[in-house]
Amino acid sequence: MNRTQAEKRIRELHTQIRHHDYLYYVRDAPEISDEAYDTLFRELKGLEEQYPELRTPDSPTQRVAGAPLDKFPTVEHTASMLSLDSGQDRAQLERFDERLRKAVGGDIAYVIDPKLDGASVELVYQDGVLVRASTRGDGQVGEGITENIRTVRTVPLRLRDGGRGAPGLLAVRGEVIMRVGAFEQLNERLLGAGREPFANPRNAAAGSLRQLDPQITAQRPLDLYVYDILAAEGVAVATQWEVLAALAQWGFPVNELARRVSSVDEIVAYHAELHEQRDDLAYEIDGVVIKLDDLAVRDELGTTAHHPRWAYAFKFPPRKELTRVLAIVPSVGRTGAVTPIAMLRPVELGGVTVSRASLHNREEVARKDIREGDRVRVQRAGDVIPQILERVEEPGRTRAAKYRMPGECPSCRTPLVQRGPFTICPNSFECPAQLAGRIQHFARRDALDIEGLGEETAKLLVAQGLVRQLPDLFNLTPEQLEALEGFAEKSARNLVDGIARAAQVELHRFLLGLGIPEVGVAVAKDLARHFRSFDAVRRASKEELEAVPGVGPKMAEQIAAFFADRRNQEGLDALLHGKVKLVEPTGETAAQLAGLKVVFTGELARLARRDAKQLVESLGGRVTSSVSKETAFVVVGENPGSKFTDAERLGVKTLTEDEFVDFVRSKGADV
Ligand code: IVH
């Protein structure tokens, strides 16, 4: 065969092999036998060896051709890769639907498809040839993973000519996933090789895409679904449904579960159906994505800084997972309560690896009858602490003995006492575990906010005898810390500086940090607002405390008892003499919004929620989470929730964010 004949034959082979790859990998419907395919592939390889100059990057032989990289290049996306607005309940979905119906002003159509739990990527094709692929990164720039993406069999290296021809430029967005079966096999392989397995298919997909050596990625069973066009030259499509059809014609894998619907009822039914099928699907999904079909209206609606206004992710409720209790370990908290903690075989729950769960108290352990070695179902909802829901029966398995709480404190050996269902270490002032807990609490973000002073450091400071009571924190020197394990010159200096900075503290944060029984964030603020000075709080009688809105008789008693304790008094005196400097609310500013309740709903564009809340509080107002007749006004941001309708229903005044900012400025706030 001469060169001209070879060139022609190579082109034919490209087309044929590409077609069979498409049928096999994307359509899952091969038309020829493996042997026949291998024969074509071998013929192509042979010709390319004979005429290396005819080997092109889009050749089917060139999937795994890239050399290992030192690092990934940074790639700017063709268009922003935004994330999705999301929620879990029907009411929110209905508000989304209402807003879009208004914008469309007639019959509406949505395209809905599964929300794939994988890694988002952008693929760019020039004149039909894959030239660039990148991870989502921060949405504007990602990592260039072109060579790795090429190894994914379902990714077309050249677009199919599905009768539409190739656009000059086409940028698409999709999700790289690993099917559950493939994920399990990969983990087995990794374990067999003495390597760390992946926690879930999403991590496995993302981790495999981010291998510097494409040879490794090539061995990872990755897959892809494409669902969006980020940019296209000369492509005439008017709807999302047409987008999916065009993508399929170009040879991209498009999710076969995508549907076109026109009502919330249909969406909810689809959501329920997929939720039901979730464990039977070959890949992981975590909800349903709803996209407005009409692309022109989409453009009109536009996007917020984070997500398009025309799409919504209707997520599934948090997942429950099975795992095993490796051990039950008693842990002594700052209040002396001894909590049995189940140490779990690490399990991934809604994006977080969970390895511990509280069993709360003696009675709870007995009620759930959880023992070491048991198989249990765990749940994590939002960012709350994981919970053990129940034990899972394993017939035929011999169980460990019933769990028994220890008789003495695991930290200080003091005999424990029972108070109702709770087990308490009564050695409040000397018990190292309680002290470490108090330090950690004192340093927490909404109290003194001392960076770098977490659980481990607090324990270390106590164990080394450097802190015997809270005031000692302020005497720590960099030299002392540097001698501790895990500290270097810089981290030691940072912690000492952090403690010094935290010494000037607002009254409510200080009150919270003290760990007074029953005093959480809200009560600490109520006390500060009411009494205005630490001395006044400290001297307050039980009756005076009860006069504070939000403080009941039991709480008042506990607070008064805390301040009456001689050891506490000594500690407080030590803290206040030259160590902590309190910033107490002044009468003036506190009066600006004094006693007013403010509610926020929707997204704020100018202010972070936290800052908006602080603004209200700095003026003496209070931010609450639900609207009532007592609410002074509701600040309504973008995509407001039900609080907005509540406000309208109750006739409560609403302010836009701008009006709110003007208002607080008029009250003297510095925004
Ligand atoms: S549409 C932003 N459809 O979910 C508009 N996204 O949590 C285009 N995702 O980063 C997105 N499955 O990468 C769309 N069927 C699907 C999806 C999907 C998964 C990803 C997307 C986004 C993330 C948001």
Side-chain angles (χ1 to χ4, degrees):
M1 206 182 275
N2 66 29
R3 194 176 179 282
T4 319
Q5 288 166 325
E7 204 172 348
K8 180 160 174 279
R9 181 62 186 151
I10 284 177
R11 267 205 302 274
E12 282 168 12
L13 287 168
H14 277 193
T15 309
Q16 284 182 29
I17 295 173
R18 204 177 295 127
H19 179 63
H20 292 302
D21 275 346
Y22 172 74
L23 292 176
Y24 184 89
Y25 291 110
V26 178
R27 302 300 294 268
D28 201 12
E31 278 174 1
I32 59 171
S33 68
D34 290 0
E35 290 75 30
Y37 177 87
D38 287 347
T39 308
L40 292 174
F41 204 86
R42 264 199 310 273
E43 188 189 347
L44 176 59
K45 271 189 130 169
L47 285 172
E48 284 179 345
E49 263 154 38
Q50 212 179 331
Y51 298 101
E53 71 277 17
L54 298 178
R55 187 183 281 143
T56 55
D58 66 334
S59 166
T61 63
Q62 298 303 299
R63 283 214 175 256
V64 193
L69 301 173
D70 292 331
K71 70 194 258 284
F72 295 109
T74 303
V75 170
E76 196 167 326
H77 296 307
T78 315
S80 304
M81 289 177 76
L82 300 171
S83 66
L84 287 167
D85 190 11
S86 68
Q88 271 184 44
D89 60 86
R90 185 183 169 122
Q92 259 173 298
L93 174 66
E94 277 171 355
R95 279 194 295 280
F96 167 79
D97 175 61
E98 252 168 55
R99 256 193 303 119
L100 265 60
R101 271 177 201 278
K102 259 189 219 148
V104 172
D107 286 345
I108 200 163
Y110 296 110
V111 172
I112 54 180
D113 60 355
K115 185 166 180 321
L116 304 163
D117 207 1
S120 196
V121 290
E122 177 190 17
L123 307 181
V124 181
Y125 291 79
Q126 254 160 16
D127 297 320
V129 179
L130 174 68
V131 292
R132 198 163 69 237
S134 52
T135 60
R136 175 168 180 269
D138 66 3
Q140 305 303 320
V141 293
E143 288 176 320
I145 46 153
T146 315
E147 293 305 325
N148 289 349
I149 273 291
R150 293 170 61 88
T151 70
V152 179
R153 296 289 158 167
T154 40
V155 168
L157 297 181
R158 173 181 278 278
L159 300 180
R160 274 171 76 79
D161 183 1
R164 353 180 105 247
L169 171 84
L170 177 70
V172 300
R173 178 174 181 173
E175 203 82 358
V176 170
I177 58 164
M178 193 177 286
R179 287 171 197 274
V180 180
F183 159 74
E184 280 166 359
Q185 278 173 15
L186 170 64
N187 267 357
E188 256 167 51
R189 220 166 73 205
L190 290 173
L191 280 167
R195 308 258 309 276
E196 192 73 13
F198 284 106
N200 56 34
R202 173 168 30 90
N203 290 1
S208 300
L209 269 190
R210 296 190 66 261
Q211 293 291 328
L212 289 166
D213 184 354
Q215 301 278 348
I216 297 181
T217 309
Q219 293 161 25
R220 301 285 172 81
L222 294 172
D223 228 311
L224 168 83
Y225 280 114
V226 172
Y227 45 71
D228 200 17
I229 294 181
L230 286 170
E233 269 170 17
V235 175
V237 278
T239 65
Q240 173 71 10
W241 199 239
E242 284 172 27
V243 164
L244 294 184
L247 290 169
Q249 279 180 325
W250 282 315
F252 292 108
V254 171
N255 196 285
E256 55 285 352
L257 297 170
R259 300 255 189 292
R260 194 154 171 262
V261 299
S262 55
S263 71
V264 168
D265 280 345
E266 284 169 290
I267 296 169
V268 170
Y270 180 80
H271 179 268
E273 196 184 313
L274 286 191
H275 192 212
E276 176 83 27
Q277 286 176 24
R278 188 181 189 185
D279 289 330
D280 302 326
L281 287 179
Y283 44 84
E284 290 265 53
I285 65 173
D286 58 354
V288 167
V289 184
I290 298 123
K291 296 161 220 181
L292 184 65
D293 196 29
D294 189 323
L295 302 186
V297 182
R298 276 195 194 183
D299 277 348
E300 278 168 34
L301 283 164
T303 70
T304 71
H306 310 288
H307 54 251
R309 293 201 177 86
W310 43 262
Y312 186 75
F314 188 15
K315 306 243 279 190
F316 294 146
R319 236 196 157 131
K320 295 165 187 146
E321 289 290 351
L322 292 177
T323 187
R324 206 170 278 288
V325 175
L326 301 175
I328 300 176
V329 178
S331 158
V332 188
R334 68 183 164 87
T335 62
V338 183
T339 310
I341 305 284
M343 311 303 285
L344 305 171
R345 196 183 62 214
V347 62
E348 166 83 19
L349 264 181
V352 176
T353 305
V354 169
S355 55
R356 312 204 290 187
S358 170
L359 286 164
H360 304 295
N361 57 54
R362 197 164 31 96
E363 284 182 8
E364 178 86 355
V365 184
R367 192 174 63 74
K368 290 188 172 156
D369 187 20
I370 307 282
R371 309 182 192 179
E372 293 189 342
D374 280 354
R375 201 164 156 73
V376 290
R377 201 181 305 281
V378 286
Q379 160 177 300
R380 202 182 68 94
D383 48 7
V384 247
I385 303 156
Q387 267 188 311
I388 293 191
L389 282 177
E390 60 189 352
R391 178 167 72 81
V392 180
E393 290 286 354
E394 292 175 289
R397 185 171 183 280
T398 317
R399 298 180 64 208
K402 270 195 192 298
Y403 177 72
R404 289 188 43 175
M405 290 290 272
E408 52 184 43
C409 173
S411 178
C412 67
R413 303 279 156 230
T414 304
L416 297 177
V417 296
Q418 303 298 336
R419 219 174 281 156
F422 301 104
T423 308
I424 309 279
C425 166
N427 183 20
S428 312
F429 288 96
E430 311 289 334
C431 175
Q434 293 188 48
L435 177 57
R438 278 200 297 276
I439 294 172
Q440 201 193 328
H441 182 77
F442 192 61
R444 66 184 248 189
R445 185 140 152 208
D446 34 15
L448 272 77
D449 193 13
I450 305 174
E451 213 176 303
L453 186 46
E455 185 177 349
E456 293 310 316
T457 303
K459 280 185 182 159
L460 202 59
L461 293 175
V462 174
Q464 297 299 315
L466 291 178
V467 179
R468 289 176 204 283
Q469 48 170 355
L470 288 182
D472 295 343
L473 277 176
F474 297 91
N475 299 334
L476 288 171
T477 64
E479 293 70 33
Q480 282 175 323
L481 293 175
E482 234 179 281
L484 297 181
E485 203 187 310
F487 274 92
E489 194 183 326
K490 185 145 178 271
S491 47
R493 157 87 15 229
N494 283 348
L495 181 53
V496 171
D497 288 351
I499 293 171
R501 265 198 309 277
Q504 178 153 334
V505 57
E506 289 159 283
L507 175 57
H508 68 90
R509 288 173 168 266
F510 181 67
L511 286 169
L512 175 71
L514 292 178
I516 307 166
E518 307 279 336
V519 177
V521 179
V523 176
K525 286 181 179 167
D526 291 341
L527 291 172
R529 200 172 298 131
H530 186 87
F531 291 105
R532 303 270 174 81
S533 81
F534 184 69
D535 260 348
V537 181
R538 194 177 174 172
R539 282 197 319 263
S541 67
K542 187 171 164 294
E543 290 68 32
E544 284 165 334
L545 286 164
E546 264 187 67
V548 180
V551 175
K554 254 182 85 182
M555 208 187 269
E557 194 175 313
Q558 299 248 40
I559 298 170
F562 176 89
F563 288 113
D565 187 288
R566 186 185 51 82
R567 300 282 298 257
N568 285 338
Q569 287 176 6
E570 285 169 11
L572 288 170
D573 289 340
L575 276 177
L576 294 165
H577 278 117
K579 299 206 156 72
V580 167
K581 187 174 173 325
L582 289 178
V583 182
E584 296 174 335
T586 61
E588 236 175 286
T589 54
Q592 303 289 2
L593 284 178
L596 294 189
K597 287 188 188 166
V598 177
V599 172
F600 288 92
T601 178
E603 288 154 42
L604 302 182
R606 296 170 62 178
L607 298 166
R609 266 289 175 105
R610 259 182 72 184
D611 297 339
K613 187 162 182 240
Q614 265 183 3
L615 263 176
V616 172
E617 284 165 356
S618 71
L619 295 173
R622 185 169 176 182
V623 174
T624 60
S625 58
S626 60
V627 184
S628 71
K629 286 223 166 75
E630 276 77 62
T631 306
F633 55 81
V634 177
V635 181
V636 182
E638 189 116 16
N639 299 337
S642 59
K643 293 175 211 162
F644 179 44
T645 30
D646 291 346
E648 291 190 322
R649 187 167 44 82
L650 294 168
V652 172
K653 185 167 158 187
T654 60
L655 296 185
T656 64
E657 184 178 0
D658 287 341
E659 287 167 344
F660 169 70
V661 170
D662 289 346
F663 176 77
V664 291
R665 276 195 183 138
S666 76
K667 296 284 179 188
D670 182 21
V671 205

